[in-house]
Structure formats: structure tokens, C-alpha cells
Amino acid sequence: MRKANQSIISDFILVGLFSHLGPHLLLFSFVAATFTIGLLGNTILIFLIHTDSRLQTPMYFLLSQLSLLDVGFPLVTIPKMAINFLQGEGSISFGGCAAQMFFLMLMGVSEGVLLSFMSYDRYIAVCHPLRYPMLMRRQVCLLMVGISWLSGVLIATIQTSITLHFPFCASHTVDHFFCELPALLKLSCEDTSAYELTLSISGVLILLLPMSLITTSYGHVLGAVLRMHSAEARHKAFTTFSSHITVVGLFYGAAVFMYMVPGTYHSPQQDNMVSLFYSLVTPTLNPLIYSLRNREVRVALVKVFGKAGFRSKR
């Protein structure tokens, strides 16, 4: 009991991303620039979707939720990492560590579920266009978003509470730049093998169920696109389809490596790089993928900048 109580009141020490890499200042500048670009890109995309009437469709409503999650991902990790780097220390309180782990798990699970619903949306739009207004009405979209967020809250609550239940009496130094579940489990002075096995099994289910829906939906979409007679319609459908597939590949590629590949097969340095990829790089790339490859978003963006330029001239 004393050990458990001691682990609750003690701070953790984050080793940091830059302890494994160099030159530090150059990498820090890259992370800061990527963070800023991602934050601006996702914020602008959310603004466009909610202000342009042509973008107020089920697909873009779901996309706005994806951008909201992509705003949250780096905000949970990067500012704390930047502060630690500038101050030359890596301490984080027990509560701060718990909050990081909870919100990252929440957003990660929510994004995985949301991406599967987005694939279903594309399946209905391409394969059943006449039934699209009914099958993807506003109530259905709100239900999809609600399920995504509730799934994240449920899984994050369970996993975080169980992980933090273990006493961390051996060491409080986390070989990571933020508090992530696999890194914290390595610090426990109790046998966590049974929980790690359960975590791996649940991770497979959490990842494979949405991936199965995504694979099925996009399989039907690809077949329908290839059967289209109009080259213009085929090009438009394939552009949207490929954008979604790119985002799904980036997200699930990193998630599979972190939560389905056993920890013995990857080092802390690899974990740091993969975590940086899915918590910073992927959220930054998502709005660029959708905006650069989607005509409606480009038109809305030009319209906003055009109005801004006109007002500045006046």
C-alpha cells in the first residue's frame, strides 16, 4: 500500500524526444513548425466547413470532427514537450501524465471509429447515391459522431484506470516524450504480462473491427468506381476515395505498429518516432490531403482569401 501511495504522489520524468536524436535545435524547429502548420490547417478546415454552405454535407461534417481530433492530438503532447525542452527538464506530474494518456487514448480510439464511419459514408455516396440523403441524414451523422466519442471515452477510461492502478516503484523515468500506455507499463514493479496480453487482444479488436468495415466499404467503392462509364465521375469519385485511403493508411499504419506488434519487437527510439508520426505528422498531413485533393475545399479556401483580399484593398 505504501508503494502504491508513493507512486500516486510522485512525478514522472519524460526522457524526451531529443535525447535520442540530434541536432536538437533543428529537430525542435521542425517539430514547432509542423505543429503550427497542423494547427492552422485543421482550424482553417473546420472554419471552412462550418461557414461555407457547399461544405455542409455529411462527408464534410464527419471531416470536421476528424480535424477536431487532429487539433487535439498535438495539443496534448507537443506544448509539454516544448516546455520541457526549453526549460531543460522533463518532469510531469502524476495527474498530467494520467491526463495525457487518457486524452490520447480517447482521441486515438475516436479517430479510428470515425474513419470507419467515413468509409461507410463514401460507400453509401458511391454505391447507393439515391438513398444517400436518407441513410446519411443529420441524425445518423450525429449518432456516428456520438458513438466515436463515446467509444473513445469508454476505452480511455478503462485502460487509463487499469494502467495507473499498477505501482510504479522501480523507476519513474519514462523513455518517451509523453505518457503513453506501453511506455508506462514498463515502469511497473508488478507483473503486468496478463494485462499486456489482454491489452494486445483488445487492441486487435479495437483496430480490426473498424479496419474490417473500412476494407469492406472501400472494396465496394473501388468496384463501383471502376464500373463507372463517365471519366469525370470516375475521376471525382477516385479522388475522394484515394484521399480517404491515404488518411486511413497513415493512421492505422502507426497504430498497428504501436498496439499490435509486441513491444519486444521495437525499441524506445522506434516508439518515439512512430508516436511522433501519429501524434504530429499525421494530423498535419490530413488537412493538406483533403484540401489539396478536394476541389470543393480548394474553392471554399480561395473564396475566403478572395474576400479577405477585397476587404484589405478597401
Side-chain angles (χ1 to χ4, degrees), residues 173-193:
T173 302
V174 183
D175 197 359
H176 211 345
F177 68 95
F178 61 84
C179 290
E180 192 167 28
L181 192 152
L184 282 180
L185 285 179
K186 296 178 182 178
L187 304 183
S188 176
C189 54
E190 286 188 0
D191 182 16
T192 62
S193 56

Side-chain angles (χ1 to χ4, degrees), residues 245-295:
I245 284 294
T246 302
V247 171
V248 168
L250 291 173
F251 176 81
Y252 275 99
V256 167
F257 180 84
M258 286 299 298
Y259 291 96
M260 289 180 64
V261 178
T264 53
Y265 291 94
H266 42 91
S267 64
Q269 292 86 349
Q270 291 173 324
D271 289 345
N272 271 275
M273 294 308 299
V274 173
S275 297
L276 181 68
F277 185 81
Y278 80 74
S279 66
L280 178 64
V281 178
T282 299
T284 302
L285 291 177
N286 284 352
L288 298 177
I289 292 170
Y290 280 106
S291 60
L292 294 178
R293 306 194 65 179
N294 195 298
R295 183 178 178 276

Side-chain angles (χ1 to χ4, degrees), residues 100-111:
Q100 272 196 342
M101 186 162 54
F102 174 81
F103 284 110
L104 284 169
M105 184 72 67
L106 185 158
M107 289 181 289
V109 174
S110 298
E111 184 160 331

Side-chain angles (χ1 to χ4, degrees), residues 121-140:
D121 168 77
R122 290 300 85 204
Y123 161 70
I124 297 299
V126 175
C127 300
H128 303 283
L130 298 179
R131 301 175 61 191
Y132 185 81
M134 181 189 69
L135 294 176
M136 291 301 297
R137 58 191 182 276
R138 182 167 181 79
Q139 294 88 337
V140 175

Side-chain angles (χ1 to χ4, degrees), residues 78-214:
I78 303 303
K80 178 60 178 175
M81 182 187 70
I83 291 172
N84 287 346
F85 174 78
L86 295 175
Q87 293 180 345
E89 62 177 29
S91 65
I92 183 172
S93 66
F94 183 89
C97 191
Q100 272 196 342
M101 186 162 54
F102 174 81
F103 284 110
L104 284 169
M105 184 72 67
L106 185 158
M107 289 181 289
V109 174
S110 298
E111 184 160 331
V113 176
L114 182 65
L115 286 172
S116 67
F117 286 139
M118 291 175 72
S119 70
Y120 174 77
D121 168 77
R122 290 300 85 204
Y123 161 70
I124 297 299
V126 175
C127 300
H128 303 283
L130 298 179
R131 301 175 61 191
Y132 185 81
M134 181 189 69
L135 294 176
M136 291 301 297
R137 58 191 182 276
R138 182 167 181 79
Q139 294 88 337
V140 175
C141 293
L142 291 174
L143 179 62
M144 288 179 171
V145 171
I147 291 174
S148 300
W149 284 98
L150 287 175
S151 299
V153 170
L154 178 62
I155 299 299
T157 301
I158 294 173
Q159 302 288 22
T160 303
S161 59
I162 294 177
T163 301
L164 296 180
H165 173 74
F166 292 108
F168 303 102
C169 48
S171 171
H172 287 252
T173 302
V174 183
D175 197 359
H176 211 345
F177 68 95
F178 61 84
C179 290
E180 192 167 28
L181 192 152
L184 282 180
L185 285 179
K186 296 178 182 178
L187 304 183
S188 176
C189 54
E190 286 188 0
D191 182 16
T192 62
S193 56
Y195 174 57
E196 289 183 41
L197 178 61
T198 305
L199 183 65
S200 298
I201 295 173
S202 63
V204 169
L205 294 175
I206 292 169
L207 290 173
L208 287 187
L209 288 177
M211 285 177 65
S212 299
L213 178 58
I214 291 170

